[in-house]
Amino acid sequence: MSLEAPLPRPGKIIGAPVNHLDHKAEMDYPTSIADLGVFLKANSSVIGPGQDVVLPHSDVRTDQEGELAVVIGRTASHVSADEALDHVFGYTCLLDITVRSGEDRSTRKSFDTFTPIVPWIVTADEIADPDRLDLRCHVAGETRQDTNTRYLIFGVRELVASPPR
């Protein structure tokens, strides 16, 4: 028996680009989510744990970032930041795989297999504060990312309430 992604074809995957202060500094990137707005990823990019990420190009840099995924349980359109967490079913972790090329952000992040998701969802009632969670990413035993959601430019409440445009 193999574990699968808990949401094999979510209705929508909305990403928040350059939303980690440390990632913004690492990239020496002049803009952030405040300037870029959000983007969509294809739900066909989702795979489960242990499945292979298939790179579409062998000659183009491809990166991965560990991300906190917020699973929305009921429609969260036009809600305030104070009400936002009432719409969250739970949280999981995923990898956001990106080809570093000139295509549109959604295209570079939406290739099949580019959104591996861990096999579980932690329900919202189990997380006291989603803006105080450690986030680590290891690749082949090497730590590539070690951060905390307190370093998000826009926190979970703000993202759910009114994603930046």
Side-chain angles (χ1 to χ4, degrees):
M1 180 174 122
S2 65
L3 297 173
E4 299 290 330
L7 302 164
R9 286 294 178 266
K12 195 182 305 181
I13 303 170
I14 301 173
V18 195
N19 193 36
H20 293 270
L21 288 171
D22 52 353
H23 185 56
K24 183 178 187 297
E26 170 196 356
M27 291 174 49
D28 193 26
Y29 204 63
T31 60
S32 74
I33 183 173
D35 308 299
L36 300 169
V38 296
F39 63 91
L40 294 173
K41 284 187 73 144
N43 66 0
S44 60
S45 67
V46 172
I47 59 172
Q51 293 183 280
D52 293 332
V53 172
V54 179
L55 302 180
H57 310 288
S58 61
D59 60 342
V60 179
R61 179 177 152 194
T62 303
D63 293 332
Q64 68 286 317
E65 296 174 72
E67 300 288 356
L68 173 66
V70 180
V71 180
I72 303 300
R74 61 188 179 105
T75 301
S77 179
H78 307 291
V79 299
S80 70
D82 290 338
E83 302 170 306
L85 296 185
D86 295 337
H87 296 261
V88 174
F89 171 78
Y91 305 93
T92 190
C93 298
L94 62 78
L95 280 179
D96 179 23
I97 311 291
T98 307
V99 170
R100 300 294 180 196
S101 62
E103 290 116 351
D104 173 77
R105 182 177 308 275
S106 292
T107 301
R108 296 182 289 123
K109 293 173 167 283
S110 288
F111 289 102
D112 288 350
T113 75
F114 268 35
T115 311
I117 301 179
V118 299
W120 58 85
I121 295 173
V122 177
T123 57
D125 63 321
E126 297 179 77
I127 303 293
D129 186 354
D131 292 323
R132 295 286 182 263
L133 298 172
D134 290 330
L135 184 61
R136 293 182 188 93
C137 176
H138 303 275
V139 177
E142 176 188 338
T143 300
R144 297 275 180 96
Q145 184 179 5
D146 188 357
T147 189
N148 189 289
T149 55
R150 72 177 166 262
Y151 300 118
L152 293 175
I153 295 168
F154 288 96
V156 172
R157 288 166 185 83
E158 292 80 17
L159 290 170
V160 171
S162 180
R165 302 182 249 158

